[in-house]
Amino acid sequence: IAAETGLLFIIGTSGSTGGAHSVLSVAYSSGAHFVEINLDAGRFTQEAMEARRGHYITGSTSSILPMLKEIFEECVKGEIAH
C-alpha cells in the first residue's frame, strides 16, 4: 500500500518505532509526498523540512485535521463540478 500512495500523512507520532519510518521510506521512494503534523518536532521533522516532497505542519491534530477535511471536501467538489 505504501508504494502505491501519492500522499502520506504522518500524524502525531514521535517516530520512535521502525514501522512508521519504513512506511515513509517506501512511500517516498515510490514518489509520494508526505506531510508530518505534530505539536513538537520529531524524528520525521528534519526530513519533512528538507525533502523536496516533504512538508511539516506544527499544531494539534484536533485543530489541523478539520481544516484539512474542509480543504479536501472543496477539492472533491471542484472535481465533481468539472
Side-chain angles (χ1 to χ4, degrees):
I1 294 172
E4 297 175 11
T5 190
L7 177 61
L8 176 69
F9 286 94
I10 302 166
I11 301 173
T13 180
S14 65
S16 60
T17 64
H21 198 267
S22 295
V23 170
L24 171 59
S25 180
V26 170
Y28 193 76
S29 295
S30 299
H33 290 257
F34 73 97
V35 179
E36 179 190 15
I37 301 171
N38 216 331
L39 281 173
D40 301 307
R43 180 176 179 183
F44 302 109
T45 306
Q46 193 65 33
E47 288 179 68
M49 294 172 64
E50 293 177 356
R52 196 183 83 204
R53 295 183 318 272
H55 310 277
Y56 177 66
I57 301 172
T58 304
S60 70
T61 57
S62 62
S63 63
I64 293 171
L65 291 181
M67 289 188 295
L68 287 177
K69 179 181 179 275
E70 288 181 29
I71 291 168
F72 288 137
E73 286 173 344
E74 289 299 316
C75 291
V76 170
K77 285 179 190 175
E79 290 289 321
I80 293 171
H82 290 109

Coordinates of all heavy atoms in Angstrom, one line a residue:
I1 N 0.8 -1.2 0.0 CA 0.0 0.0 0.0 C 0.9 1.3 0.0 O 0.6 2.2 -0.7 CB -1.0 0.0 1.2 CG1 -2.0 -1.1 1.1 CG2 -1.7 1.3 1.3 CD1 -2.8 -1.3 2.3
A2 N 1.9 1.3 0.8 CA 2.8 2.4 0.9 C 3.4 2.8 -0.5 O 3.6 3.9 -0.8 CB 3.9 2.2 1.9
A3 N 3.8 1.8 -1.2 CA 4.4 2.0 -2.5 C 3.4 2.6 -3.6 O 3.8 3.2 -4.6 CB 5.0 0.7 -3.1
E4 N 2.1 2.5 -3.3 CA 1.1 3.0 -4.2 C 0.5 4.3 -3.8 O -0.4 4.8 -4.5 CB 0.0 1.9 -4.4 CG 0.6 0.6 -5.0 CD -0.5 -0.5 -5.0 OE1 -1.7 -0.2 -4.8 OE2 -0.1 -1.6 -5.2
T5 N 0.9 4.8 -2.6 CA 0.2 6.1 -2.2 C 0.9 7.3 -2.8 O 2.1 7.3 -3.1 CB 0.3 6.2 -0.7 OG1 -0.5 7.3 -0.3 CG2 1.7 6.4 -0.1
G6 N 0.1 8.3 -3.0 CA 0.7 9.6 -3.6 C 0.9 10.6 -2.5 O 1.7 11.6 -2.7
L7 N 0.2 10.5 -1.4 CA 0.3 11.4 -0.3 C 0.2 10.7 1.0 O -0.8 10.0 1.3 CB -0.8 12.5 -0.4 CG -0.9 13.5 0.7 CD1 0.3 14.4 0.7 CD2 -2.2 14.4 0.4
L8 N 1.2 10.8 1.9 CA 1.2 10.1 3.1 C 1.2 11.2 4.3 O 2.0 12.1 4.2 CB 2.5 9.3 3.2 CG 2.8 8.6 4.6 CD1 1.7 7.5 4.8 CD2 4.2 8.0 4.6
F9 N 0.3 11.0 5.2 CA 0.3 11.9 6.4 C 0.9 11.1 7.5 O 0.5 10.0 7.8 CB -1.2 12.3 6.7 CG -1.8 13.3 5.8 CD1 -2.5 12.9 4.7 CD2 -1.6 14.6 6.0 CE1 -3.1 13.8 3.9 CE2 -2.1 15.6 5.2 CZ -2.8 15.2 4.1
I10 N 1.8 11.8 8.2 CA 2.4 11.3 9.5 C 1.9 12.2 10.6 O 2.2 13.3 10.6 CB 3.9 11.3 9.4 CG1 4.4 10.5 8.2 CG2 4.5 10.8 10.7 CD1 5.9 10.7 7.8
I11 N 1.0 11.6 11.4 CA 0.2 12.5 12.3 C 0.5 12.1 13.8 O 0.2 10.9 14.2 CB -1.3 12.4 12.0 CG1 -1.5 12.8 10.6 CG2 -2.1 13.2 13.0 CD1 -2.9 12.6 10.1
G12 N 1.0 13.0 14.6 CA 1.1 12.9 16.0 C 1.9 11.7 16.5 O 1.6 11.1 17.5
T13 N 3.0 11.5 15.8 CA 3.9 10.4 16.3 C 5.3 10.9 16.5 O 5.8 11.8 15.8 CB 3.9 9.2 15.3 OG1 4.8 8.2 15.8 CG2 4.4 9.6 13.9
S14 N 6.0 10.3 17.4 CA 7.4 10.6 17.6 C 8.3 9.9 16.6 O 9.4 10.3 16.4 CB 7.8 10.2 19.1 OG 7.8 8.8 19.2
G15 N 7.8 8.9 16.0 CA 8.6 8.2 15.0 C 9.5 7.2 15.7 O 10.5 6.8 15.0
S16 N 9.3 6.9 16.9 CA 10.2 6.0 17.6 C 10.2 4.5 17.2 O 11.1 3.8 17.6 CB 10.0 6.2 19.1 OG 8.7 5.8 19.5
T17 N 9.1 4.2 16.5 CA 9.1 2.8 16.0 C 9.6 2.7 14.6 O 9.4 3.6 13.8 CB 7.6 2.2 16.1 OG1 6.8 3.0 15.2 CG2 7.0 2.3 17.5
G18 N 10.1 1.6 14.3 CA 10.7 1.4 13.0 C 9.6 1.3 11.9 O 9.9 1.6 10.7
G19 N 8.4 0.8 12.3 CA 7.4 0.6 11.3 C 7.0 1.9 10.6 O 6.8 2.0 9.4
A20 N 6.8 3.0 11.3 CA 6.4 4.3 10.8 C 7.5 4.8 9.8 O 7.2 5.3 8.7 CB 6.2 5.3 11.9
H21 N 8.7 4.6 10.1 CA 9.8 5.1 9.3 C 9.9 4.2 8.0 O 10.2 4.7 6.9 CB 11.2 5.1 10.0 CG 12.2 5.9 9.3 ND1 13.0 5.4 8.4 CD2 12.4 7.2 9.3 CE1 13.8 6.3 7.9 NE2 13.4 7.5 8.5
S22 N 9.6 2.9 8.1 CA 9.6 2.0 7.0 C 8.6 2.4 6.0 O 8.8 2.4 4.7 CB 9.4 0.6 7.4 OG 10.5 0.1 8.2
V23 N 7.4 2.7 6.5 CA 6.3 3.1 5.6 C 6.7 4.4 4.9 O 6.5 4.5 3.6 CB 5.0 3.3 6.4 CG1 3.9 4.0 5.5 CG2 4.5 2.0 6.9
L24 N 7.2 5.4 5.6 CA 7.6 6.6 4.9 C 8.7 6.4 3.9 O 8.6 6.9 2.7 CB 8.2 7.6 6.0 CG 8.9 8.9 5.4 CD1 7.9 9.7 4.5 CD2 9.4 9.7 6.5
S25 N 9.7 5.6 4.2 CA 10.7 5.3 3.2 C 10.2 4.6 1.9 O 10.6 5.1 0.8 CB 11.7 4.3 3.9 OG 12.8 4.0 3.0
V26 N 9.3 3.7 2.1 CA 8.7 3.0 0.9 C 7.9 4.0 0.1 O 8.0 4.1 -1.2 CB 7.9 1.8 1.3 CG1 7.1 1.3 0.1 CG2 8.8 0.7 1.9
A27 N 7.1 4.8 0.7 CA 6.2 5.7 0.0 C 7.0 6.8 -0.7 O 6.8 7.1 -1.8 CB 5.2 6.3 1.0
Y28 N 8.0 7.4 0.0 CA 8.8 8.4 -0.6 C 9.6 7.9 -1.7 O 9.7 8.6 -2.8 CB 9.6 9.1 0.5 CG 10.2 10.4 0.0 CD1 9.5 11.5 -0.1 CD2 11.6 10.5 -0.4 CE1 10.0 12.8 -0.5 CE2 12.1 11.7 -0.8 CZ 11.3 12.8 -0.9 OH 11.8 14.0 -1.4
S29 N 10.2 6.7 -1.6 CA 11.0 6.1 -2.7 C 10.1 5.9 -3.9 O 10.6 5.9 -5.0 CB 11.6 4.8 -2.2 OG 12.5 5.1 -1.2
S30 N 8.8 5.7 -3.7 CA 7.9 5.5 -4.8 C 7.3 6.8 -5.4 O 6.4 6.7 -6.2 CB 6.8 4.6 -4.3 OG 7.3 3.3 -3.9
G31 N 7.7 7.9 -4.9 CA 7.3 9.2 -5.4 C 6.3 9.9 -4.6 O 5.8 11.0 -5.1
A32 N 5.9 9.5 -3.5 CA 4.8 10.1 -2.7 C 5.3 11.4 -2.0 O 6.5 11.6 -1.7 CB 4.3 9.2 -1.6
H33 N 4.4 12.3 -1.8 CA 4.6 13.5 -1.0 C 4.3 13.0 0.4 O 3.5 12.1 0.6 CB 3.7 14.6 -1.4 CG 4.1 15.2 -2.7 ND1 4.7 16.4 -2.8 CD2 3.9 14.8 -4.0 CE1 4.9 16.7 -4.1 NE2 4.4 15.7 -4.8
F34 N 4.9 13.7 1.4 CA 4.5 13.4 2.8 C 4.3 14.6 3.6 O 5.0 15.6 3.4 CB 5.4 12.3 3.5 CG 6.7 12.8 3.8 CD1 7.0 13.2 5.1 CD2 7.8 12.9 2.9 CE1 8.3 13.7 5.5 CE2 9.0 13.3 3.3 CZ 9.3 13.7 4.6
V35 N 3.4 14.6 4.6 CA 3.1 15.7 5.5 C 3.2 15.2 6.9 O 2.5 14.3 7.2 CB 1.7 16.3 5.2 CG1 1.5 17.5 6.1 CG2 1.6 16.7 3.7
E36 N 4.0 15.8 7.7 CA 4.1 15.5 9.1 C 3.3 16.6 9.8 O 3.5 17.8 9.6 CB 5.5 15.5 9.7 CG 5.5 15.2 11.2 CD 6.8 15.3 11.9 OE1 7.7 16.0 11.3 OE2 6.9 14.9 13.0
I37 N 2.3 16.1 10.7 CA 1.5 17.0 11.5 C 1.8 16.6 13.0 O 1.6 15.5 13.4 CB 0.0 16.9 11.2 CG1 -0.3 17.2 9.8 CG2 -0.8 17.8 12.2 CD1 -1.7 16.9 9.3
N38 N 2.4 17.6 13.7 CA 2.8 17.3 15.1 C 2.9 18.6 15.9 O 3.2 19.6 15.3 CB 4.1 16.5 15.1 CG 4.2 15.5 16.2 OD1 3.5 15.6 17.2 ND2 4.9 14.4 15.9
L39 N 2.7 18.5 17.2 CA 2.9 19.6 18.1 C 4.4 19.9 18.2 O 4.7 21.1 18.3 CB 2.3 19.3 19.5 CG 0.8 19.4 19.6 CD1 0.4 18.9 21.0 CD2 0.4 20.9 19.4
D40 N 5.2 18.9 18.3 CA 6.6 19.1 18.5 C 7.4 18.4 17.4 O 7.0 17.5 16.8 CB 7.0 18.5 19.9 CG 6.3 19.1 21.0 OD1 6.3 20.3 21.2 OD2 5.6 18.3 21.8
A41 N 8.6 18.9 17.2 CA 9.5 18.3 16.2 C 9.8 16.9 16.7 O 9.9 16.6 17.9 CB 10.8 19.1 16.2
G42 N 9.8 16.0 15.7 CA 10.0 14.6 16.0 C 11.1 14.0 15.0 O 11.8 14.8 14.3
R43 N 11.1 12.7 14.9 CA 12.0 12.0 14.1 C 11.9 12.4 12.6 O 12.9 12.4 11.8 CB 11.9 10.5 14.3 CG 12.8 9.7 13.4 CD 12.6 8.2 13.8 NE 13.5 7.4 13.0 CZ 13.6 6.1 13.0 NH1 12.8 5.5 13.8 NH2 14.4 5.5 12.2
F44 N 10.7 12.7 12.1 CA 10.4 13.0 10.7 C 10.6 14.5 10.4 O 10.6 14.8 9.2 CB 9.0 12.5 10.3 CG 8.8 11.0 10.6 CD1 8.0 10.6 11.6 CD2 9.4 10.1 9.8 CE1 7.8 9.3 11.9 CE2 9.2 8.7 10.1 CZ 8.4 8.3 11.1
T45 N 10.6 15.3 11.3 CA 10.6 16.8 11.1 C 11.7 17.2 10.2 O 11.4 18.0 9.2 CB 10.6 17.5 12.4 OG1 9.5 17.0 13.2 CG2 10.4 19.0 12.2
Q46 N 12.9 16.9 10.5 CA 14.0 17.3 9.6 C 13.9 16.8 8.2 O 14.1 17.6 7.2 CB 15.4 16.9 10.2 CG 16.6 17.6 9.6 CD 16.6 19.0 9.9 OE1 16.2 19.5 11.0 NE2 17.1 19.8 9.0
E47 N 13.5 15.6 8.0 CA 13.3 15.0 6.7 C 12.2 15.8 6.0 O 12.3 16.1 4.8 CB 12.9 13.6 6.8 CG 14.0 12.6 7.2 CD 13.5 11.2 7.2 OE1 13.2 10.6 6.2 OE2 13.5 10.6 8.4
A48 N 11.1 16.1 6.7 CA 10.0 16.8 6.1 C 10.4 18.2 5.6 O 9.9 18.7 4.6 CB 8.8 16.9 7.1
M49 N 11.2 18.8 6.4 CA 11.6 20.2 6.1 C 12.7 20.2 4.9 O 12.7 21.2 4.2 CB 12.1 20.9 7.3 CG 11.0 21.1 8.3 SD 11.5 21.7 9.9 CE 12.2 23.3 9.5
E50 N 13.4 19.2 4.8 CA 14.5 19.1 3.8 C 14.1 18.4 2.5 O 14.6 18.7 1.4 CB 15.7 18.5 4.4 CG 16.4 19.3 5.5 CD 17.6 18.6 6.1 OE1 17.9 17.4 5.7 OE2 18.2 19.2 7.0
A51 N 13.2 17.5 2.6 CA 12.8 16.8 1.4 C 12.0 17.6 0.4 O 11.2 18.4 0.8 CB 11.9 15.5 1.8
R52 N 12.2 17.4 -0.9 CA 11.5 18.1 -1.9 C 10.0 17.9 -1.8 O 9.2 18.8 -2.1 CB 12.1 17.7 -3.3 CG 11.7 18.7 -4.4 CD 12.2 18.2 -5.7 NE 11.2 17.3 -6.2 CZ 11.4 16.3 -7.0 NH1 12.5 16.1 -7.5 NH2 10.4 15.5 -7.4
R53 N 9.6 16.7 -1.5 CA 8.2 16.4 -1.4 C 7.7 16.2 0.0 O 6.8 15.5 0.3 CB 7.9 15.1 -2.2 CG 8.2 15.3 -3.7 CD 7.9 14.0 -4.5 NE 8.3 12.8 -4.0 CZ 9.4 12.1 -4.1 NH1 10.4 12.7 -4.8 NH2 9.7 11.0 -3.5
G54 N 8.4 16.8 0.9 CA 8.0 16.7 2.4 C 7.5 18.1 2.9 O 7.9 19.1 2.4
H55 N 6.6 18.0 3.9 CA 6.0 19.2 4.4 C 5.8 18.9 5.9 O 5.6 17.8 6.4 CB 4.7 19.5 3.8 CG 4.8 19.5 2.3 ND1 5.2 20.6 1.6 CD2 4.5 18.5 1.4 CE1 5.2 20.3 0.3 NE2 4.8 19.0 0.1
Y56 N 5.9 20.0 6.7 CA 5.8 19.9 8.2 C 4.8 21.0 8.6 O 4.9 22.1 8.3 CB 7.1 20.1 8.9 CG 7.0 20.1 10.4 CD1 6.6 18.9 11.0 CD2 7.3 21.2 11.1 CE1 6.5 18.9 12.4 CE2 7.2 21.2 12.5 CZ 6.8 20.0 13.1 OH 6.7 20.0 14.5
I57 N 3.8 20.5 9.3 CA 2.8 21.5 9.9 C 2.8 21.3 11.4 O 2.6 20.2 12.0 CB 1.4 21.1 9.4 CG1 1.3 21.2 7.9 CG2 0.3 22.1 10.0 CD1 0.0 20.7 7.3
T58 N 3.1 22.4 12.1 CA 3.1 22.5 13.5 C 1.7 22.8 14.1 O 1.1 23.7 13.7 CB 4.1 23.5 14.0 OG1 5.4 23.3 13.5 CG2 4.2 23.5 15.6
G59 N 1.3 21.9 15.0 CA 0.0 22.2 15.6 C -0.7 20.9 16.1 O -0.2 19.8 15.9
S60 N -1.8 21.1 16.7 CA -2.5 20.0 17.2 C -3.4 19.3 16.1 O -3.9 20.0 15.3 CB -3.4 20.4 18.4 OG -4.5 21.1 18.0
T61 N -3.5 18.0 16.2 CA -4.3 17.4 15.2 C -5.8 17.8 15.3 O -6.5 17.8 14.3 CB -4.2 15.8 15.3 OG1 -4.5 15.4 16.6 CG2 -2.7 15.4 15.0
S62 N -6.2 18.1 16.5 CA -7.6 18.5 16.7 C -7.9 19.8 16.0 O -9.1 20.0 15.7 CB -8.0 18.5 18.2 OG -7.2 19.5 18.8
S63 N -7.0 20.6 15.7 CA -7.2 21.9 15.0 C -6.9 21.7 13.5 O -7.6 22.3 12.7 CB -6.5 23.0 15.6 OG -5.1 22.8 15.5
I64 N -5.9 21.0 13.2 CA -5.4 20.9 11.8 C -6.3 19.9 11.0 O -6.6 20.2 9.8 CB -3.9 20.5 11.8 CG1 -3.1 21.6 12.3 CG2 -3.5 20.2 10.3 CD1 -1.7 21.3 12.6
L65 N -6.6 18.8 11.5 CA -7.4 17.8 10.7 C -8.7 18.3 10.2 O -9.1 18.1 9.1 CB -7.5 16.5 11.5 CG -6.2 15.7 11.6 CD1 -6.5 14.4 12.4 CD2 -5.5 15.4 10.3
P66 N -9.5 19.1 11.0 CA -10.7 19.6 10.5 C -10.5 20.6 9.3 O -11.3 20.6 8.4 CB -11.4 20.3 11.7 CG -10.8 19.6 12.9 CD -9.4 19.3 12.5
M67 N -9.4 21.4 9.4 CA -9.1 22.3 8.3 C -8.7 21.5 7.0 O -9.2 21.8 5.9 CB -7.9 23.2 8.7 CG -8.3 24.2 9.7 SD -7.0 25.5 10.0 CE -5.7 24.5 10.7
L68 N -8.0 20.4 7.2 CA -7.6 19.6 6.0 C -8.9 18.9 5.4 O -9.0 18.8 4.2 CB -6.6 18.5 6.4 CG -5.2 19.0 6.7 CD1 -4.3 17.8 7.1 CD2 -4.6 19.6 5.4
K69 N -9.8 18.5 6.3 CA -11.0 17.9 5.8 C -11.8 18.9 4.9 O -12.3 18.5 3.9 CB -11.9 17.5 7.0 CG -13.2 16.9 6.6 CD -14.0 16.5 7.9 CE -15.4 16.0 7.6 NZ -16.4 16.9 7.3
E70 N -11.9 20.2 5.4 CA -12.5 21.2 4.6 C -11.9 21.4 3.2 O -12.5 21.5 2.2 CB -12.6 22.5 5.4 CG -13.6 22.5 6.5 CD -13.6 23.8 7.2 OE1 -13.4 24.8 6.6 OE2 -13.9 23.8 8.5
I71 N -10.5 21.4 3.3 CA -9.8 21.6 2.0 C -10.1 20.5 1.1 O -10.3 20.7 -0.1 CB -8.3 21.7 2.3 CG1 -8.0 23.0 3.0 CG2 -7.5 21.6 1.0 CD1 -6.6 23.1 3.6
F72 N -10.0 19.2 1.6 CA -10.3 18.1 0.7 C -11.7 18.1 0.2 O -11.9 17.7 -1.0 CB -10.0 16.8 1.5 CG -8.5 16.5 1.7 CD1 -8.1 16.0 2.9 CD2 -7.6 16.7 0.7 CE1 -6.7 15.8 3.1 CE2 -6.2 16.5 0.9 CZ -5.8 16.1 2.1
E73 N -12.6 18.4 1.0 CA -14.0 18.5 0.6 C -14.2 19.5 -0.6 O -14.9 19.2 -1.6 CB -15.0 18.8 1.7 CG -15.1 17.6 2.7 CD -15.9 18.0 3.9 OE1 -16.1 19.2 4.2 OE2 -16.4 17.0 4.6
E74 N -13.5 20.6 -0.5 CA -13.6 21.6 -1.5 C -12.9 21.1 -2.8 O -13.5 21.4 -3.9 CB -13.0 23.0 -1.1 CG -13.8 23.7 0.0 CD -15.1 24.1 -0.5 OE1 -15.2 24.6 -1.7 OE2 -16.1 23.9 0.2
C75 N -11.9 20.4 -2.7 CA -11.2 19.9 -3.8 C -12.1 18.8 -4.5 O -12.2 18.8 -5.8 CB -9.9 19.2 -3.4 SG -8.6 20.3 -2.9
V76 N -12.7 18.0 -3.7 CA -13.6 17.0 -4.3 C -14.8 17.6 -5.0 O -15.2 17.2 -6.1 CB -14.1 16.0 -3.2 CG1 -15.2 15.1 -3.8 CG2 -12.9 15.1 -2.7
K77 N -15.4 18.7 -4.4 CA -16.5 19.4 -5.0 C -16.0 20.0 -6.4 O -16.8 19.9 -7.3 CB -17.0 20.5 -4.1 CG -17.8 20.0 -2.9 CD -18.2 21.3 -2.1 CE -18.8 20.8 -0.8 NZ -19.1 22.0 0.1
G78 N -14.8 20.5 -6.4 CA -14.3 21.0 -7.7 C -14.1 20.0 -8.7 O -14.4 20.2 -9.9
E79 N -13.7 18.8 -8.3 CA -13.5 17.7 -9.3 C -14.8 17.2 -9.8 O -15.0 16.9 -11.0 CB -12.8 16.5 -8.6 CG -11.4 16.8 -8.2 CD -10.5 16.8 -9.5 OE1 -10.7 16.0 -10.4 OE2 -9.6 17.6 -9.5
I80 N -15.8 17.2 -8.9 CA -17.2 16.7 -9.4 C -17.8 17.7 -10.3 O -18.5 17.4 -11.3 CB -18.1 16.4 -8.1 CG1 -17.5 15.2 -7.4 CG2 -19.5 16.1 -8.5 CD1 -18.1 15.0 -6.0
A81 N -17.6 19.0 -10.0 CA -18.2 20.0 -10.8 C -17.6 20.1 -12.2 O -18.3 20.5 -13.2 CB -18.0 21.4 -10.2
H82 N -16.4 19.6 -12.4 CA -15.8 19.7 -13.8 C -16.2 18.5 -14.5 O -16.3 17.6 -14.9 CB -14.3 19.8 -13.6 CG -13.9 21.1 -13.1 ND1 -13.4 21.3 -11.9 CD2 -14.0 22.3 -13.7 CE1 -13.1 22.5 -11.7 NE2 -13.5 23.2 -12.7

